[in-house]
Amino acid sequence: MNDQASQLSFLASGASADLFDIGGDQVVKLFRDSVSDEMIAREALTSARAAASGVPTAAAIGRTTWDGRRAIIYPRLHGPTLMDWIRCNPIRAGWALDRMGVLHGAMHRVPGRTLRSLKQVLATDITHGPASHALQRSAIAYLDRLPYGDALTHGDFHLGNVMMTSGGLVVIDWSKAAVGHPAADAVRSEMLMRFGIGPNDWVTRLWRDWAAARLRRSYAAVSGVTASDISQWRPIVALAWLRARDAGRTPAFMRYLAKALAQAGLPSLR
């Protein structure tokens, strides 16, 4: 950590950035060298567009360089992530997941406009992933037949990227945003809930499966996205996941992927 950053009040650290309080009810998000300029620009632009469209989020105040590190300035949000809030209020987990599903549905009513294509993102991830060439070809042909969609999709909508503030739930981290079909984004959230990195004991596994199902039901009730829509997108989103992420609960995820591929009539992974 550089000298200037070390004098700030540290708030949080993630895979791509560190977050510091800089006073004046503002924070600075300092990105790591491995993060592309494109991703930083997308996050800043999408946060502002989402906020202007009524999505509860922290709109970027501006991009800057902070002691040699690329950065975004944001207004400070006061409150825990929804993950931490549920840990402190486990009896209200169902209520919180229902609110999260409603928020996801509202987000998808916002047009994604000029954002990158989610279909193209998925196709690229599949092409550069570990699947056989035969499966890749079949999956891309299957993807081509799926509808494009014009929704604003988050790409990383999970309990750690939603905050519980005094004004309600607020979405953060738009770095993976795209324009596409809302069902694909819902599948991604289902996978993050069930198979994302985190505790892996049997009690937590049961809770994560329950939470994913609860979130899916609450989302479906307000979004118009059907169970058939979700099933159509599962094999593609799951196959794309393999490119850059080691799934938590890997055996369970591989069963999930195998079932989705079989239901879609696609070749198996092996």
Side-chain angles (χ1 to χ4, degrees):
M1 189 177 300
N2 56 50
D3 292 339
Q4 188 174 354
S6 68
Q7 297 171 13
L8 301 177
S9 177
F10 174 79
L11 294 175
S13 183
S16 63
D18 300 310
L19 191 69
F20 297 89
D21 188 335
I22 58 174
D25 225 24
Q26 294 182 349
V27 297
V28 62
K29 186 173 183 179
L30 303 179
F31 290 90
R32 307 195 193 290
D33 291 342
S34 58
V35 178
S36 70
D37 290 336
E38 178 189 13
M39 181 178 288
I40 296 171
R42 179 169 55 246
E43 177 178 332
L45 176 63
T46 309
S47 70
R49 286 183 176 176
S53 299
V55 178
T57 190
I61 295 170
R63 293 173 60 191
T64 187
T65 300
W66 194 281
D67 206 12
R69 291 179 68 177
R70 295 161 301 158
I72 299 175
I73 306 293
Y74 284 107
R76 179 165 184 183
L77 296 174
H78 297 276
T81 65
L82 197 55
M83 182 183 298
D84 289 338
W85 188 89
I86 287 175
R87 285 172 178 156
C88 295
N89 302 273
I91 199 169
R92 301 190 68 192
W95 173 87
L97 289 162
D98 288 347
R99 300 286 74 72
M100 185 176 171
V102 170
L103 175 57
H104 209 189
M107 179 197 308
H108 287 159
R109 288 191 287 274
V110 174
R113 295 191 180 93
T114 58
L115 286 170
R116 62 185 184 156
S117 164
L118 179 55
K119 266 197 165 189
Q120 186 57 58
V121 172
L122 293 169
T124 299
D125 286 345
I126 290 169
T127 301
H128 291 87
S132 67
H133 290 308
L135 176 53
Q136 287 180 7
R137 288 193 299 270
S138 295
I140 296 302
Y142 177 93
L143 174 61
D144 286 342
R145 298 191 295 271
L146 293 177
Y148 276 89
D150 63 355
L152 168 63
T153 63
H154 187 276
D156 203 20
F157 190 75
H158 59 76
L159 292 172
N161 277 338
V162 179
M163 294 185 65
M164 178 67 80
T165 72
S166 60
L169 300 186
V170 176
V171 189
I172 60 173
D173 193 354
W174 294 92
S175 61
K176 293 182 174 63
V179 56
H181 198 285
D185 205 35
V187 171
R188 176 77 174 185
S189 290
E190 176 183 77
M191 288 167 42
L192 287 163
M193 187 73 75
R194 293 185 63 189
F195 309 116
I197 302 303
N200 198 29
D201 60 277
W202 72 270
V203 173
T204 304
R205 291 198 297 269
L206 289 175
W207 188 91
R208 290 176 70 162
D209 289 345
W210 168 82
R214 180 78 179 237
L215 177 62
R216 185 173 63 247
R217 288 195 300 270
S218 64
Y219 170 76
V222 301
S223 68
V225 173
T226 67
S228 177
D229 295 329
I230 296 290
S231 295
Q232 280 187 322
W233 283 94
R234 274 200 187 103
I236 294 299
V237 179
L239 198 58
W241 172 290
L242 292 178
R243 178 188 181 189
R245 180 184 292 267
D246 292 329
R249 302 177 58 192
T250 297
F253 171 73
M254 296 307 291
R255 290 192 295 271
Y256 173 94
L257 172 59
K259 181 179 178 180
L261 291 172
Q263 288 180 337
L266 292 169
S268 65
L269 188 61
R270 293 180 177 83

